[in-house]
Amino acid sequence: MKPVASPPATITQPTPHQLLLSGHWSARSVGVVVAQLAQLKFPRAVGVVADAARIESLDSSGAWLLQDLLLRLQREGAAPTLQGLRAEFVPVLNAVARHIADQGPSRLPDTRPRPELLAGVGQAAQQGWQLVVEALGFIGACALALAGWAAHPSRIRGRPILFNIRSAGVDALPIVAVLSFLLGIVVAYQAADQLRQFGANIFVADLVGLSMLREFAPLITAIIVAGRSGSAYAAQIGTMAVTEEIDAMRTLAIPPLEVLVLPKVLALVVALPLLTVFADVLGVFGGMVMAQVQLGVGYADFLDRFAKAVSVTSYMVGIAKAPVFAAIIAMVGCFQGLRTRGGADSVGRQTTRSVVQGIFLVIVADALFSIAFSLLDL
């Protein structure tokens, strides 16, 4: 005798205000139910009753599907009501609902129609505003944690700070040295032909010195650190969020901001100005080498003109930018890491966002510095 096949999960809509749910809502029914969800249409601002009395079995996958249906009805303003679900299925549905609330939106395929242009612009603006509010809240929480460190210095964790100074500063010296040296060569090479036409070869020291110390060295160093350390911060904290290590820290009354965020921020604020000084030296040296090769300007002549052309103010302008760039990079990386939800795909997505947003904000800050220094005549 052949076994009777269990009925698959089905969703029928006898009226626009009523749904009948039946069959076995399990992992095997995911594809069928998702396809049925895509065909349903609901009136807005009208209550929809979902009758689950005919559901014969329900596992976590089926509960996820059912919860996704209820959330979709809420998003579309249909005011759903679930009735008739067996008592033994209610704990499973409640557990899935709590998990969705903790982990963010559902990972099921989005069956909603794509929004129109204006609706999409509105949604993007709303998401952007929400991101700004979350970022401001994160900055405020970090400020409070830093104030707690200032009030209770015994809570300062020295080893994580030193470790991050080494990983973000010392370990970055080779790549910063190579790129700064090459950038100095490029700047001097691009200026060589023009300066040679006017017999102003010696002024290559002015060009290389001012451009490297004021702009290029702090900016290129910040971009390197954003791609290298900012992404590492986001990936590390994001992986800890996915594996629920951060939740475990909160359970043990260990503040995640004091353990994971503040040591990285303070370490980068210390390391980036030192890296900028290192980049200044290597960039000027690269320009000096190219000036000797292309323009016949000797090292002694170059350094003599460099000392006259570049003032201490120009040097300090570049150094003053570095702590601000460091704070931006570290805060963005840690913020995006803490916003990680879901699995490995979310870690990669937040890591990418941390690099893109970090570099973008660094360039914006550099432009604002240029405007401010121009107004101050520095």
Side-chain angles (χ1 to χ4, degrees):
M1 182 176 180
K2 296 182 179 180
V4 178
S6 59
T10 57
I11 304 175
T12 58
Q13 190 175 16
T15 67
H17 314 296
Q18 185 180 16
L19 293 176
L20 298 180
L21 315 179
S22 61
H24 293 266
W25 285 59
S26 61
R28 296 182 178 181
S29 304
V30 171
V32 177
V33 175
V34 169
Q36 293 175 356
L37 285 174
Q39 300 175 358
L40 298 178
K41 298 184 181 299
F42 308 101
R44 291 183 176 272
V46 177
V48 174
V49 177
D51 187 358
R54 294 184 177 86
I55 293 181
E56 300 183 18
S57 64
L58 184 73
D59 64 5
S60 58
S61 299
W64 195 288
L65 287 166
L66 182 55
Q67 189 64 29
D68 186 72
L69 171 63
L70 298 176
L71 291 175
R72 177 189 166 187
L73 292 173
Q74 291 179 0
R75 288 194 301 265
E76 298 185 1
T81 301
L82 181 66
Q83 65 180 22
L85 186 66
R86 296 182 186 178
E88 60 266 28
F89 300 153
V90 173
V92 179
L93 185 64
N94 291 338
V96 170
R98 289 193 299 269
H99 182 76
I100 291 176
D102 293 338
Q103 298 298 324
S106 171
R107 297 295 176 192
L108 294 173
D110 193 356
T111 59
R112 294 172 292 170
R114 297 186 65 180
E116 297 180 357
L117 178 60
L118 291 179
V121 172
Q123 291 178 4
Q126 183 181 13
Q127 293 173 0
W129 175 250
Q130 183 178 2
L131 179 64
V132 171
V133 172
E134 291 179 6
L136 292 176
F138 175 73
I139 294 173
C142 290
L144 291 177
L146 187 61
W149 271 15
H152 304 281
S154 60
R155 292 163 55 181
I156 299 177
R157 301 174 182 270
R159 282 194 174 185
I161 295 176
L162 294 177
F163 173 80
N164 283 286
I165 289 177
R166 190 198 70 180
S167 61
V170 178
D171 294 348
L173 288 175
I175 184 65
V176 170
V178 171
L179 291 183
S180 299
F181 179 76
L182 294 178
L183 185 60
I185 290 177
V186 169
V187 172
Y189 176 79
Q190 295 296 330
D193 289 339
Q194 301 300 322
L195 294 175
R196 189 184 296 112
Q197 292 179 11
F198 298 97
N201 295 6
I202 191 61
F203 290 105
V204 69
D206 301 55
L207 178 63
V208 172
L210 291 174
S211 62
M212 288 301 303
L213 269 60
R214 291 183 66 101
E215 292 294 335
F216 288 150
L219 187 60
I220 194 65
T221 305
I223 291 175
I224 293 171
V225 171
R228 186 181 179 278
S229 300
S231 60
Y233 294 164
Q236 177 191 0
I237 297 177
T239 302
M240 295 179 67
V242 169
T243 57
E244 299 182 354
E245 294 179 56
I246 295 179
D247 294 334
M249 293 172 62
R250 294 192 178 100
T251 302
L252 297 173
I254 300 176
L257 292 180
E258 294 188 10
V259 177
L260 300 176
V261 177
L262 290 186
K264 293 178 173 59
V265 174
L266 294 181
L268 204 59
V269 168
V270 173
L272 193 58
L274 299 178
L275 284 174
T276 302
V277 174
F278 185 66
D280 289 339
V281 174
L282 269 295
V284 172
F285 179 66
M288 189 187 308
V289 172
M290 184 53 63
Q292 169 69 31
V293 173
Q294 287 291 103
L295 298 173
V297 178
Y299 296 153
D301 295 334
F302 186 98
L303 291 176
D304 182 66
R305 179 60 192 176
F306 178 84
K308 296 177 181 177
V310 180
S311 63
V312 176
T313 301
S314 298
Y315 172 72
M316 294 306 300
V317 162
I319 300 299
K321 298 178 182 180
V324 179
F325 293 166
I328 291 173
I329 294 167
M331 295 287 283
V332 169
C334 296
F335 173 65
Q336 293 297 342
L338 290 172
R339 294 185 74 242
T340 303
R341 298 290 184 274
D345 60 332
S346 181
V347 175
R349 184 168 55 252
Q350 297 305 118
T351 301
T352 302
R353 288 177 179 173
S354 70
V355 176
V356 173
Q357 293 179 4
I359 294 176
F360 173 77
L361 292 177
V362 163
I363 295 175
V364 170
D366 186 62
L368 295 177
F369 270 122
S370 298
I371 294 173
F373 291 148
S374 176
L375 295 176
L376 296 174
D377 196 21
L378 293 178

